[in-house]
Amino acid sequence: MGAGQARADNLVINGSFEDGLNGWTIGGTDGQGFPPVAILYDSTAGYPTGAFGEPIPHNNAWTPSTDPVGDHAAYFVSDLGENQSLYQTIHIAEAGIYQIGFSAYAPLNGYNNAGDASFVGRIADDELANYNVHESMPQQWVTYSGAQYLDVGPYLVEFVFNTSLVPSADVVIDQVYVIKGNPQQPVPDGGATLVLLGLGLTGLGLARRRRG
């Protein structure tokens, strides 16, 4: 960011989930009793403050989000979720190009469960991600990003999670953003960073989680 250049605000309320799920609405149905929650990074606690004992590392994928990664992320974990979702409506007051995106992570203990999970991330009518967790790479933060012209008006930010087998895979998300301005380029930091436009990755895993 050059001298005198203003830092654009993130139009997504609580996009890094540092205030729990405030600003977000939970949708869909949950036949198990595990609705989406905001969990702590690096926690070995069980649900609802941790990922069933697996410590989730802070998001280390490059992202243009203006929100810091913080200490929390949102966790989709129900084994019997039908169109379970987190969503909110943002309002564009000035037409123009906007950067949009979020980061996602597949915990290993969920990845290796027999049941798969489908996950969709949509921001302002742009489907940035649509994949099955078993076709992604576990324990890897991935940023799904894009840019588009948005007219003045309301737009939906929505994440949808589906499972149908006990136990099933899980998804963690963080740093959801809608920021006015042209896309930025990632700055290499020596770490493993992926910036994708709705693409899945293939991967493998080792251990299973059991839920009571």
Side-chain angles (χ1 to χ4, degrees), residues 105-168:
Y105 181 97
L108 184 62
N109 61 12
Y111 179 90
N112 287 289
N113 287 329
D116 204 351
S118 66
F119 177 74
V120 177
R122 299 187 190 94
I123 299 179
D125 301 324
D126 193 344
E127 190 172 273
L128 295 174
N130 186 344
Y131 61 88
N132 291 328
V133 175
H134 282 173
E135 296 174 357
S136 68
M137 181 174 290
Q139 296 186 308
Q140 173 70 65
W141 276 104
V142 178
T143 294
Y144 297 88
S145 64
Q148 64 181 99
Y149 181 90
L150 300 178
D151 284 318
V152 173
Y155 291 89
L156 185 66
V157 178
E158 180 182 37
F159 302 95
V160 182
F161 180 78
N162 278 280
T163 52
S164 60
L165 182 66
V166 180
S168 288

Side-chain angles (χ1 to χ4, degrees), residues 10 13 16 22 32 47 55 66 68 106 136 139 149 151 155 177 201 207:
N10 185 5
I13 298 171
S16 283
N22 288 335
Q32 191 182 35
Y47 178 94
T66 54
S136 68
Q139 296 186 308
Y149 181 90
D151 284 318
Y155 291 89
Y177 64 90
L201 296 175

